[in-house]
Amino acid sequence: MAGLGLILLGAPGSGKGTQAARLAGAYALQHLSTGDLLRDEVRRGTPLGKEAKGFMDAGGLVPDALILGMVRARLEEGGEKGFLLDGFPRTLGQAEALEGMLDGLGRKLDHALFLDVPEDELVARLALRRSCPGCGRVYHLKVSPPAADGLCDACGQGLIQRLDDTEAVVRERLKVYAASTHPLVEHYEKRKLLRHIIALGGIETIQVQLRAILGEPGA
Ligand code: G5P
Ligand code: MG
């Protein structure tokens, strides 16, 4: 039987990557973060990465033509494994394209998990985020700091601040989110797939809420 089909929906800084890493381990899901995939293309200097970089650094959306092929290839590779989409879909057009892809693969969505966080909290979280350029693990200098200052617990690489986490770019990303991505909340509400999570109160508390929606792993 095919595994769960999940979307993690939420603004920049709402905790999609943080929660996805935990859920993917517990439920044996393929974690597909379009942001992480794009940053990897940029790091490797691929043609796709070179095209995407300008949009990302400015806080805008990368064109669908670059995103959709990347997602389709990963979903095909995943086979029957459950999947957890983080940062995709981001527009109504991407949501429709996803429906077509899943139909073609004989797969379906079970839940769109919406992490709802007020804007001032998002800005505060992103200012103190540090990320590992090697394995993608995410830290917060106060809430979830690394054991050794500036170094990734998992792979030992030096942590960085993402180029798009400067205050001006964060403001732009929040505007783009409100205009292009937030309408997906209503889209999935209409399809009875939306699960609304008030994503405040600590990383583990939110993880417990998500697991209550998904049920026991393997059940
Ligand atoms: P990304 O990489 O998809 P965003 O903007 O959607 O970027 P981002 O910034 O990665 O999302 P997140 O994953 O939701 O945020 O949040 P996170 O990293 O887990 O947590 C943020 C901080 O808060 C961390 O420091 C974490 O430790 C802390 N934190 C987490 N949970 C909690 C909590 O419960 N409490 C507290 N206090 N702190 C917490 O996309 C980047 C760019 O790529 C392109 C676009 O240009 C985009 O701007 N892109 C796409 N373009 C077009 N279409 C797509 N589908 C695209 N996908 C990516
Ligand atoms: Mg993320």
Side-chain angles (χ1 to χ4, degrees):
M1 199 179 77
L4 283 169
L6 305 174
I7 294 175
L8 263 177
L9 194 59
S14 56
K16 300 183 296 296
T18 302
Q19 297 299 337
R22 289 162 171 76
L23 290 178
Y27 291 84
L29 303 169
Q30 178 191 23
H31 175 196
L32 220 161
S33 157
T34 42
D36 287 349
L37 292 173
L38 288 168
R39 281 184 287 278
D40 185 53
E41 299 279 346
V42 171
R43 215 167 15 249
R44 290 188 288 117
T46 64
L48 194 161
K50 285 184 181 145
E51 238 186 292
K53 184 173 172 17
F55 297 100
M56 297 172 77
D57 289 352
L61 292 180
V62 173
D64 284 1
L66 300 181
I67 300 286
L68 296 177
M70 197 174 75
V71 172
R72 183 178 289 110
R74 295 305 193 293
L75 281 174
E76 283 170 3
E77 275 166 27
E80 292 289 284
K81 196 170 176 176
F83 59 85
L84 175 53
L85 303 175
D86 157 4
F88 178 90
R90 234 174 170 94
T91 61
L92 286 169
Q94 290 185 5
E96 281 158 16
L98 173 65
E99 277 149 34
M101 274 182 222
L102 294 178
D103 280 350
L105 293 168
R107 301 296 300 272
K108 69 174 180 65
L109 281 176
D110 294 294
H111 307 281
L113 304 160
F114 170 42
L115 301 179
D116 192 0
V117 178
E119 185 162 325
D120 52 353
E121 168 74 9
L122 297 170
V123 173
R125 285 186 190 180
L126 291 176
L128 293 184
R129 171 166 63 184
R130 296 295 180 271
S131 310
C132 176
C135 68
R137 189 153 165 182
V138 171
Y139 299 85
H140 184 280
L141 294 182
K142 283 199 184 140
V143 175
S144 54
D149 245 9
L151 295 179
C152 178
D153 294 350
C155 69
Q157 282 211 32
L159 301 179
I160 55 153
Q161 186 165 24
R162 269 171 47 180
L163 281 177
D164 60 350
D165 275 352
T166 58
E167 194 181 333
V169 180
V170 165
R171 295 279 172 206
E172 178 61 22
R173 287 162 62 203
L174 290 171
K175 266 195 230 160
V176 170
Y177 169 79
S180 303
T181 308
H182 193 72
L184 292 177
V185 168
E186 195 184 327
H187 176 84
Y188 288 115
E189 221 159 28
K190 281 189 189 144
R191 283 159 181 71
K192 305 212 181 314
L193 291 173
L194 194 83
R195 316 288 173 245
H196 188 169
I197 295 112
I198 305 288
L200 292 168
I203 293 171
E204 293 314 321
T205 312
I206 297 159
Q207 181 69 194
V208 168
Q209 290 182 63
L210 291 167
R211 290 191 189 200
I213 293 167
L214 301 180
E216 281 302 306

